[in-house]
Amino acid sequence: MTFILPIRQNIASLESYSSARSILKGDQWTFLDANEGAFPGSPNLSGLPPLNRYPDPTSDALRDAIAGFYSVRRENLCIASGSDEIIDLCTRAFVRPGRGVVAMKPSYGMYAVSARINDVPFTTVELQEDFRLDPDAVLRASEGADVIFLCSPNNPTGLTIDRPVIEKILQGFTGVVVMDEAYGEFSDAAGVPSSIELVRSGVPNLLVMRTFSKAFGAAAIRVGYGIASPSIIDVLLRMKPPYNVNALSQSAALSLWNDRASMERRVQDILSERGRLMSAFERRGCRVFPTTANFFLTQFPPTVSSDEIYASLRDQYKIVLRKRSDLGQLKNVLRVTVGNPKENDFLLSSLSSLL
């Protein structure tokens, strides 16, 4: 008998998300491509639980710490294996048969991947030329959708979504709006209000995601969290795997959370380095775009090819930036993650030799 792999058609044709470390990996590189925190978090792991026991399935110590900071209840929190798990849970839980998902474009690629995995129609709304979001366009696109994914600050543009735009979408949409604030600590430092305030005020159809991968400098532990009404969180907790966040990650995340002052100092250092980098790129003839995150977009002069710059930095100097080919009419652009001062100096000196 011949074995034929039984696989769903949408999975057979699936293109996986092209993560930064799936493209290049190893210790020989200067990675300025994945928007990771420039400075590694340093959690205190002296109080680890015994490793022969399963971890707390709902990460209650971490939920309580985060809930206390944001003045919400434990029932408003779900801890997950990175924001990606919450994206997948929301797609599986809240999109009914025949309904779809809407997201802004360009934005984070996992919204589309999750929709394709779950065989859910995926619709995008193009950002305007200034990278702003048109709420009316979102609402028109969402007539057949149950979930809208928004990202603020948005990856890759770095811009936040204005509060009136968010409120108009929430008021005009009957499904779940997922606000991805992976870079929220950086916009917090700029005085931009978080959508967590809307959850706290009682908005029932909003879920806000944040992560330990960026400002906390802990991408390796894979911890994210969602804040929403108890009715939304209850569904996510019932659907998630029973031990989705391991004990090591829970302990590390709690230690990092309890030392928020260190995180906030690192954020200020990154923002200072961001300003220095952006000014240096401008002096070298590049256009830089406004941002409230730990990265920025830069457009090279017409006489310079961004593809050639990317390849030369990679091949000659082992510096990795991020290509972006989904920016509509905007061409010749790379995305730059702000590194630590040594990495940034190396990038600037290498770039000077190429321009």
Side-chain angles (χ1 to χ4, degrees):
M1 182 178 294
T2 302
F3 171 70
I4 300 176
L5 183 67
I7 185 170
R8 289 159 46 195
Q9 183 175 354
N10 65 302
I11 300 300
S13 60
L14 179 69
E15 291 186 16
S16 62
Y17 176 69
S18 181
S19 66
R21 293 296 73 78
S22 65
I23 299 172
L24 290 169
K25 59 185 71 177
D27 297 331
Q28 72 269 36
W29 305 97
T30 297
F31 288 123
L32 300 175
D33 61 335
N35 299 342
E36 299 149 314
F39 307 98
S42 300
N44 180 355
L45 298 179
S46 60
L48 280 177
L51 298 185
N52 62 316
R53 302 300 180 190
Y54 286 110
D56 179 349
T58 50
S59 308
D60 285 348
L62 184 56
R63 290 170 78 198
D64 289 342
I66 297 173
F69 179 81
Y70 287 118
S71 299
V72 296
R73 296 183 294 155
R74 175 193 290 182
E75 290 77 13
N76 294 108
L77 261 294
C78 175
I79 310 298
S81 179
S83 298
D84 290 344
E85 183 178 27
I86 298 177
I87 293 169
D88 181 66
L89 287 171
C90 288
T91 306
R92 288 193 285 132
F94 302 126
V95 182
R96 295 167 293 179
R99 306 285 289 178
V101 165
V102 171
M104 43 206 281
K105 180 181 179 180
S107 197
Y108 182 41
M110 277 305 298
Y111 313 139
V113 171
S114 179
R116 290 195 293 267
I117 289 172
N118 291 288
D119 206 13
V120 166
F122 182 74
T123 303
T124 57
V125 176
E126 295 275 355
L127 296 178
Q128 299 175 98
E129 287 188 6
D130 60 356
F131 293 148
R132 298 296 176 182
L133 182 66
D134 179 358
D136 294 318
V138 173
L139 292 173
R140 286 194 299 270
S142 67
E143 290 181 0
D146 281 333
V147 172
I148 297 173
F149 287 107
L150 303 176
C151 189
S152 181
N154 185 38
N155 173 19
T157 65
L159 294 186
T160 55
I161 304 173
D162 294 336
R163 176 61 62 85
V165 172
I166 298 169
E167 291 178 338
K168 185 170 186 177
I169 294 171
L170 287 166
Q171 293 164 7
F173 184 59
T174 59
V176 176
V177 176
V178 180
M179 178 63 71
D180 188 345
E181 292 190 355
Y183 306 95
E185 286 78 13
F186 299 101
S187 56
D188 290 346
V192 178
S194 168
S195 289
I196 293 171
E197 296 177 1
L198 297 175
V199 175
R200 192 164 53 238
S201 71
V203 174
N205 62 329
L206 173 64
L207 184 147
V208 181
M209 301 189 301
R210 287 204 171 192
T211 180
F212 284 80
S213 295
K214 310 301 182 182
F216 284 93
I221 69 173
R222 306 306 302 128
V223 177
Y225 59 93
I227 300 181
S229 64
S231 61
I232 290 177
I233 295 301
D234 175 66
V235 173
L236 301 184
L237 291 177
R238 284 188 281 128
M239 285 193 63
K240 73 171 189 61
Y243 305 108
N244 60 323
V245 181
N246 68 71
L248 300 175
S249 292
Q250 288 186 41
S251 295
L254 183 58
S255 173
L256 291 168
W257 187 268
N258 289 333
D259 189 20
R260 284 186 61 90
S262 293
M263 178 273 290
E264 291 168 356
R265 287 193 297 270
R266 291 195 296 269
V267 164
Q268 291 301 325
D269 291 341
I270 290 170
L271 295 182
S272 176
E273 282 294 297
R274 185 187 72 192
R276 183 172 75 92
L277 265 185
M278 293 175 71
S279 296
F281 268 71
E282 287 182 316
R283 289 195 300 271
R284 287 159 174 79
C286 300
R287 178 186 179 188
V288 297
F289 293 82
T291 180
T292 53
N294 65 328
F295 58 86
F296 62 92
L297 291 176
T298 184
Q299 185 178 42
F300 291 86
T303 56
V304 178
S305 165
S306 63
D307 287 344
E308 291 180 4
I309 292 293
Y310 174 88
S312 295
L313 287 173
R314 179 195 61 198
D315 299 339
Q316 296 180 37
Y317 299 100
K318 302 299 182 185
I319 297 173
V320 188
L321 304 184
R322 187 72 158 172
K323 287 186 176 183
R324 299 300 311 203
S325 59
D326 57 350
L327 298 173
Q329 297 300 313
L330 188 62
K331 306 297 182 183
N332 212 31
V333 172
L334 295 176
R335 193 191 68 194
V336 182
T337 300
V338 179
N340 61 44
K342 182 179 179 181
E343 291 170 333
N344 297 334
D345 287 342
F346 182 39
L347 170 62
L348 292 176
S349 63
S350 303
L351 188 64
S352 294
S353 70
L354 300 174
L355 293 177

